[in-house]
Amino acid sequence: KNEVEQSPQNLTAQEGEFITINCSYSVGISALHWLQQHPGGGIVSLFMLSSGKKKHGRLIATINIQEKHSSLHITASHPRDSAVYICAPTGNQFYFGTGTSLTVIP
Amino acid sequence: GAVVSQHPSWVICKSGTSVKIECRSLDFQATTMFWYRQFPKQSLMLMATSNEGSKATYEQGVEKDKFLINHASLTLSTLTVTSAHPEDSSFYICSASRGTGSSGSPLHFGNGTRLTVT
């Protein structure tokens, strides 16, 4: 059984579309990270959150601890948002989702 | 701020040789550094957690004698792949944190090292 389920696995969107990536987990956590991995492999930490909602530019992350669910939203998507997005709940250890591969078409 | 430099970005080595990968936090003190590997089309897999001045904690299934980790200072951790074999070919990534363990402190990632063992 996977401790972390991400959906969708792959997503193609038109530039400007609103995008949502979901992450459900089954373990107890203290925080959840959303990571962005570009085609070259480099990883950027987008958010770390333990409750509620955070916003950074066009990116919004929410988490519902009771429901063990987090979402990453991208407003007004752009081709440069094309990347793999990984959720990583953490508690006593790290867990990693399998990632959502996003392609934004101009 | 919070820049992590990983070197080399790619390396090709012959089977049986050892390869050292460095991970440096350039502008902050990293109490904890993490090493991951990633196979093509797969997600990250945590290999080990290292705290400055103490032995690394390895995840289940990761051979500590094969993947030697040294965290000698608050700004440098190294991963040495000893007696490398073709199956060790992978993408290795480090991340650094000001906090301890998986405490929920922000993570800062290196750009990764692509290792190819021939």
Side-chain angles (χ1 to χ4, degrees):
Chain A
K1 181 185 181 299
N2 292 332
E3 292 90 356
V4 186
E5 298 279 355
Q6 257 186 261
S7 63
Q9 276 191 306
N10 297 284
L11 180 58
T12 301
Q14 288 291 136
E15 183 173 356
E17 284 186 12
F18 180 83
I19 288 162
T20 296
I21 300 170
N22 294 300
C23 176
S24 295
Y25 53 92
S26 59
V27 293
I29 67 169
S30 57
L32 184 143
H33 298 263
W34 278 102
L35 311 175
Q36 179 191 54
Q37 185 171 30
H38 282 281
I43 294 175
V44 174
S45 178
L46 299 174
F47 294 102
M48 183 190 72
L49 65 165
S50 54
S51 66
K53 172 180 171 179
K54 285 190 175 181
K55 185 176 188 292
H56 185 243
R58 295 180 294 106
L59 303 178
I60 303 166
T62 64
I63 189 168
N64 185 316
I65 296 292
Q66 286 73 30
E67 295 186 3
K68 297 190 173 182
H69 182 268
S70 177
S71 293
L72 176 68
H73 306 283
I74 305 175
T75 61
S77 60
H78 191 277
R80 64 175 174 266
D81 297 326
S82 299
V84 174
Y85 293 84
I86 302 168
C87 80
T90 73
N92 293 327
Q93 64 180 88
F94 280 104
Y95 302 90
F96 294 97
T98 52
T100 294
S101 179
L102 171 65
T103 302
V104 181
I105 301 170
Chain B
V3 176
V4 175
S5 173
Q6 190 173 337
H7 179 81
S9 55
W10 60 270
V11 58
I12 301 172
C13 71
K14 291 191 175 181
S15 189
T17 61
S18 295
V19 174
K20 181 185 283 189
I21 303 169
E22 290 188 350
C23 181
R24 293 182 184 271
S25 57
L26 298 185
D27 54 359
F28 69 101
Q29 293 187 325
T31 303
T32 309
M33 287 192 175
F34 304 91
W35 287 97
Y36 315 82
R37 69 186 297 181
Q38 185 179 37
F39 292 106
K41 305 291 185 184
Q42 295 188 23
S43 192
L44 296 171
M45 184 192 81
L46 180 66
M47 298 175 66
T49 303
S50 74
N51 292 102
E52 184 263 340
S54 61
K55 289 184 178 179
T57 301
Y58 290 81
E59 296 298 305
Q60 194 171 10
V62 178
E63 298 176 59
K64 62 180 181 181
D65 294 330
K66 179 162 187 63
F67 298 100
L68 300 178
I69 291 172
N70 184 281
H71 192 164
S73 76
L74 284 170
T75 59
L76 174 65
S77 177
T78 60
L79 167 68
T80 302
V81 183
T82 62
S83 187
H85 288 277
E87 57 264 32
D88 298 325
S89 299
S90 189
F91 189 61
Y92 294 87
I93 312 168
C94 70
S95 70
S97 169
R98 291 180 175 89
T100 56
S102 57
S103 63
S105 295
L107 298 174
H108 309 286
F109 286 83
N111 283 331
T113 298
R114 191 162 303 282
L115 170 64
T116 302
V117 184
T118 61

